[in-house]
Amino acid sequence: MSVDSEQLDRGFAALGDPVRRALIARLSRGEATVNELAEPFDITKQAISRHLQVLETAGLITRSRDGQRRPCRLNPAALEALTSWIDDYRLTAERQFRRIDAILETVKEQDS
Amino acid sequence: MSVDSEQLDRGFAALGDPVRRALIARLSRGEATVNELAEPFDITKQAISRHLQVLETAGLITRSRDGQRRPCRLNPAALEALTSWIDDYRLTAERQFRRIDAILETVKEQDS
DNA sequence: GCTATATTCAACACATCAGTTGATCAACGG
DNA sequence: CCGTTGATCAACTGATGTGTTGAATATAGC
């Protein structure tokens, strides 16, 4: 299941902020409300609310409604889409390096 | 092998740009110089040069020297550090969800 | 209805980023 | 030497991001 470029933009950019990564770390242990999520941080709840909007736009979290609360939960599938993009190219690179090593090895043998 | 928060900031932020991801895609197939990398893009070589600096600062690529060329090659280990951060939390979340599903299942059985 | 709580919206300040152009530096080739 | 090529540096512009404060919205509970 592939993802378009803008989703990758938003997903990776979302992870490029320590506050948002901390929010993800917290949400990996279970859903939480904005207030609960904001509690450990020194910044305002409005700022946290915006970080959560960024995560939601990136598809990394989903939000439901429970009275006046807006509980957030992590979306593992979106995380998986990001790792699989990275892994594609990492594996290609590793294969490439092994191939080059093999060629160098061959050259060395012929040389001796 | 863990990575500090600033490295994650730089790494993920670096991937949050389509030009830089395209550079990584290209480099996964083998090393290349700035000129070669810039060729397919509509932006100036200076802009590409800066993107490469961003990737280098993030540790995602390394650069050597070959006369006046500065060949770039991908660093798979840095990519792996990013996927492993994501996977940690993705797996935690998936375990958490399975646990909750199991609890709901138990409740449903007791209810019937 | 009235007040408190949870969350978001709006407007602003400040920093960072991505791109440009023009100049500079370093190495290569005749 | 000297012109050319590969790459970077510097200064500037416009856009985007992160934070603030203060107001607004919506729901809960009496």
Side-chain angles (χ1 to χ4, degrees):
Chain A
M1 184 162 47
S2 183
V3 171
D4 70 40
S5 181
E6 287 191 8
Q7 279 298 91
L8 293 171
D9 284 2
R10 284 190 275 263
F12 285 125
L15 295 184
D17 180 284
V19 173
R20 288 193 292 260
R21 282 199 308 281
L23 291 171
I24 285 180
R26 166 65 186 80
L27 287 171
S28 73
R29 298 196 298 278
E31 72 173 32
T33 66
V34 179
N35 264 311
E36 289 165 354
L37 290 166
E39 200 272 325
F41 294 95
D42 278 345
I43 61 179
T44 61
K45 291 173 190 184
Q46 290 94 318
I48 296 293
S49 183
R50 284 229 287 234
H51 279 301
L52 292 169
Q53 284 179 54
V54 171
L55 291 171
E56 188 180 23
T57 302
L60 295 175
I61 66 172
T62 57
R63 330 186 63 178
S64 44
R65 178 160 273 281
D66 168 28
Q68 51 195 147
R69 318 270 172 75
R70 301 294 308 280
C72 306
R73 64 159 42 197
L74 204 52
N75 176 17
L79 290 177
E80 206 275 332
L82 299 181
T83 51
S84 88
W85 187 92
I86 299 177
D87 279 335
D88 263 18
Y89 294 105
R90 179 172 63 83
L91 293 173
T92 301
E94 285 171 352
R95 271 193 296 271
Q96 172 73 5
F97 289 165
R98 274 196 297 274
R99 199 179 315 154
I100 288 177
D101 284 350
I103 291 171
L104 292 179
E105 200 60 31
T106 305
V107 170
K108 210 168 75 182
E109 279 173 19
Q110 290 174 340
D111 205 34
S112 63
Chain B
M1 184 164 46
S2 184
V3 170
D4 69 41
S5 181
E6 286 190 8
Q7 280 299 88
L8 293 172
D9 284 3
R10 285 191 274 262
F12 285 125
L15 295 184
D17 180 285
V19 173
R20 288 191 292 259
R21 282 199 309 281
L23 292 171
I24 285 181
R26 165 66 185 79
L27 288 172
S28 74
R29 299 196 298 277
E31 71 174 33
T33 67
V34 178
N35 265 310
E36 289 164 354
L37 290 166
E39 200 273 325
F41 293 96
D42 277 344
I43 60 180
T44 61
K45 291 175 190 182
Q46 290 93 319
I48 297 293
S49 182
R50 283 230 286 239
H51 280 301
L52 291 169
Q53 282 180 54
V54 171
L55 290 171
E56 187 179 24
T57 304
L60 295 174
I61 66 173
T62 58
R63 329 186 63 180
S64 44
R65 179 160 273 279
D66 168 28
Q68 50 193 149
R69 317 269 171 75
R70 300 295 308 279
C72 306
R73 63 161 39 196
L74 205 52
N75 176 17
L79 290 176
E80 205 274 331
L82 299 182
T83 51
S84 90
W85 186 93
I86 298 178
D87 279 336
D88 263 19
Y89 294 105
R90 178 172 65 82
L91 293 172
T92 301
E94 285 171 351
R95 272 194 296 272
Q96 172 73 6
F97 288 166
R98 275 197 295 275
R99 198 180 315 155
I100 287 177
D101 285 348
I103 290 170
L104 292 178
E105 200 59 33
T106 306
V107 169
K108 210 168 76 180
E109 279 172 20
Q110 290 175 344
D111 203 35
S112 63

